[in-house]
Amino acid sequence: MKIQSAVSLNLSRRFQPNTRVLQFSGEGKKGEVVLPIKEAQGRPYLLISTSSKKEINKFGVLMDTGSNATILKSSLKGIKRTWRDIWDSFSLKSYGVNGKIKLTKLATVNKLQLGKDVFSKFRVSTEELGKSILGLDLLNQYQFTLDMRNKTLSLNRIFSGRTNKVYWLLDIKANGQVTYFLVDTGASLTVILPSFQKKLNLSSLKEVVTIEDAFGELEIMTKVCLDTLEFQGHKLENVETLIAEVPLPKEIGGILGMDVLSQFICEFDPISEQVMLTKHDEDK
């Protein structure tokens, strides 16, 4: 069983100094693009492409709202490290489960295509995680909707109200206790932090789970069971979660993973900075 932890990188505009959009689908509904996704370990994957002057690479990436950065394999064609990439890398680190830290290596993609949109000189991280990740630095240039039941990702390109949002947060009531959960499509399972477990006075279950963290290393984690998990008018009962120490702001009590998110249509709007979870019509 695998879980993708939050990767704490903030590639804000100062780390995307030269990016240009060479081709775009249009703004708003008339430019909406619906992309097919595939599911692996309960998480959403889609195809993107990078290109150099002579070659085009199409490959699958994990759609990860828990990562602020897009992370690609350094071996892909069309990816190079410039002197500025090397210089800026000194000030960045990435964080995984239980506080693991790794230095980040920035690189620049000659051309990156997502749907109909083509980005030139797009900055990415090239950590070797065993997978490529599509992060918020690119996703937040769209209003985007994930529907795991119908295996689709809808993208509406936006040019106003773009956010450098580090996290997508949801107001949660767990066992009656109010907190925030990070909405993380890169996490296969829902997680609560030890500090929040203590606040809820919950005892760990005897069952343990072996997971693969963001850096490809195995971790053994315990589980707890939440009697109720409430958000946006929805109420789930007897929700099992993992216990993991993740470097998040103290007001965040946990991570909402795909075991819960896959039950909903998930709409992310960078303009209003709101995420909405809606039941499918047949489930209402």
Side-chain angles (χ1 to χ4, degrees):
M1 189 175 292
K2 296 182 179 180
I3 179 172
Q4 173 68 39
S5 70
V7 179
S8 186
L9 287 173
N10 184 9
L11 292 192
S12 61
R13 289 175 184 174
R14 86 178 180 92
F15 288 113
Q16 297 285 3
N18 301 313
T19 300
R20 292 185 298 127
V21 181
L22 299 183
Q23 176 181 315
F24 58 90
S25 51
E27 186 173 7
K29 284 292 183 182
K30 63 182 180 182
E32 182 178 29
V33 175
V34 179
L35 302 179
I37 60 171
K38 291 187 176 181
E39 181 179 340
Q41 289 90 42
R43 299 177 295 178
Y45 287 78
L46 66 151
L47 283 177
I48 66 170
S49 64
T50 59
S51 59
S52 59
K53 292 181 179 179
K54 296 182 179 180
E55 296 184 68
I56 298 176
N57 294 283
K58 289 186 177 181
F59 54 93
V61 291
L62 171 65
M63 176 197 162
D64 189 355
T65 58
S67 174
N68 300 315
T70 293
I71 304 174
L72 303 182
K73 295 179 180 179
S74 58
S75 58
L76 292 169
K77 300 294 182 183
I79 297 180
K80 291 184 178 180
R81 297 198 75 201
T82 66
W83 67 267
R84 183 162 184 170
D85 293 330
I86 296 170
W87 177 263
D88 286 344
S89 294
F90 288 117
S91 62
L92 289 177
K93 295 178 182 178
S94 62
Y95 298 84
V97 170
N98 295 329
K100 292 180 183 176
I101 300 175
K102 290 199 176 183
L103 296 178
T104 297
K105 294 182 179 179
L106 294 176
T108 299
V109 181
N110 182 45
K111 290 182 183 178
L112 185 151
Q113 183 165 356
L114 173 62
K116 296 180 180 179
D117 296 340
V118 180
F119 299 85
S120 173
K121 307 300 181 186
F122 191 82
R123 220 124 180 243
V124 298
S125 170
T126 58
E127 294 170 270
E128 296 300 335
L129 300 181
K131 64 181 74 67
S132 292
I133 289 173
L134 187 67
L136 293 182
D137 53 348
L138 194 53
L139 286 170
N140 279 349
Q141 299 190 40
Y142 300 86
Q143 294 168 318
F144 58 101
T145 302
L146 176 65
D147 184 346
M148 287 297 286
R149 180 171 296 182
N150 293 306
K151 300 292 189 295
T152 59
L153 174 65
S154 302
L155 300 172
N156 289 321
R157 185 89 162 88
I158 56 175
F159 296 95
S160 59
R162 180 185 168 191
T163 179
N164 284 322
K165 201 170 180 65
V166 178
Y167 302 112
W168 284 100
L169 299 179
L170 194 66
D171 291 292
I172 291 281
K173 187 183 288 187
N175 288 4
Q177 182 70 47
V178 176
T179 187
Y180 293 108
F181 271 28
L182 171 73
V183 181
D184 189 355
T185 60
S188 54
L189 299 174
T190 295
V191 171
I192 67 171
L193 276 60
S195 57
F196 191 57
Q197 177 193 12
K198 185 177 180 180
K199 198 171 186 178
L200 294 176
N201 195 27
L202 282 176
S203 299
S204 299
L205 302 176
K206 293 182 179 180
E207 182 184 358
V208 296
V209 178
T210 301
I211 63 97
E212 181 180 317
D213 69 13
F215 302 130
E217 299 174 7
L218 296 179
E219 291 278 345
I220 297 176
M221 295 185 180
T222 56
K223 300 173 74 174
V224 297
C225 184
L226 298 174
D227 294 331
T228 58
L229 192 63
E230 300 174 72
F231 50 88
Q232 295 185 345
H234 309 297
K235 183 176 182 179
L236 306 179
E237 297 181 339
N238 301 319
V239 180
E240 290 191 353
T241 74
L242 297 181
I243 304 297
E245 188 66 67
V246 183
L248 293 170
K250 62 182 180 180
E251 64 269 19
I252 299 177
I255 295 172
L256 201 63
M258 288 305 300
D259 55 337
V260 172
L261 295 174
S262 62
Q263 302 175 46
F264 301 89
I265 299 171
C266 307
E267 300 176 70
F268 300 82
D269 186 354
I271 296 177
S272 65
E273 298 197 350
Q274 297 292 318
V275 56
M276 292 295 299
L277 303 186
T278 308
K279 282 283 189 182
H280 292 82
D281 289 339
E282 56 268 34
D283 296 336
K284 292 179 179 177

